[in-house]
Amino acid sequence: MSVMKIMKPFNVVINFKTGELSPGKRVLRRVSDLKPLFYNQKAAEELIHHDDPLMYEVIYADVPEEGGHLGHCTTILYPGRVGEEFFFTKGHRHEKLETAEIYFCLQGTGKLLMESVEGEFEVLDMFPGSSSYIPPYWSHRTVNVGQEPLIFYCIFPGDAGHDYATIERHGFPQLVVERNGKVQLIPNPYWKKNV
Ligand code: M6P
Ligand code: ZN
């Protein structure tokens, strides 16, 4: 016999063009919220002092953060750069490492960076209709490499949790930058392999 509380089924409505998810709980992230993560700290400081731009919004459906449930949300990652680096999400791995996630892209163009706990690195393209499977044990970060907002829908186990500290310490193996008008992935000199 399950000890879970029986809850009522419910709908949320997602606007595929804007990423609005309703009803939902919105979290906003500005450049200042990601400050230590940028390669070019001076460029980040300048942006923060100027108008501290909004980088992305996440809108979460109201689901208990418990095993058995499925958390789901939309993310709206705006176009922009900090120095050469395209706007990205903080990136995290799951506190409960053995949990997966799906990112379904609705609008825009992005890169999904992933690093396994063993230090393998993978990148998937995100485009309208792409559905990316992030297996257990992989950290994940999204990067908007286009001119429009990158909008995607995510589904993850309710008890997955977000571990941000590991990414803050180690970074990702590669940076996504614009150089000579092109999107390029370059080695991150500050990356520390997970051990
Ligand atoms: C996706 C999901 C969310 C996550 C969001 C932003 O929508 O993975 O759980 O919160 O991206 O990413 P981050 O939490 O790394 O800033
Ligand atoms: Zn996740």
Side-chain angles (χ1 to χ4, degrees), residues 117-176:
V117 290
E118 291 174 344
E120 291 168 88
F121 182 62
E122 291 285 335
V123 183
L124 289 174
D125 287 321
M126 298 174 76
F127 50 86
S130 66
S131 180
S132 306
Y133 184 62
I134 303 162
Y137 301 107
W138 289 78
S139 303
H140 34 288
R141 165 181 287 167
T142 52
V143 186
N144 185 346
V145 296
Q147 323 270 317
E148 309 296 328
L150 173 67
I151 300 175
F152 54 99
Y153 174 62
C154 313
I155 309 172
F156 49 92
D159 59 346
H162 294 80
D163 167 8
Y164 293 110
T166 306
I167 297 295
E168 258 195 63
R169 268 199 317 275
H170 297 271
F172 274 88
Q174 295 193 5
L175 309 174
V176 189

Side-chain angles (χ1 to χ4, degrees), residues 44-78:
E45 276 157 22
E46 280 170 11
L47 276 174
I48 293 165
H49 288 137
H50 180 238
D51 60 353
D52 196 11
L54 180 63
M55 292 181 71
Y56 61 99
E57 306 181 40
V58 188
I59 312 171
Y60 294 95
D62 186 12
V63 171
E65 292 178 15
E66 293 168 8
H69 284 285
L70 290 172
H72 50 291
C73 62
T74 51
T75 301
I76 305 153
L77 175 56
Y78 292 104

Side-chain angles (χ1 to χ4, degrees), residues 92-94 101 103 134 140 156 161-162:
H92 61 273
R93 62 191 205 180
H94 293 157
E101 184 156 2
Y103 282 7
I134 303 162
H140 34 288
F156 49 92
H162 294 80

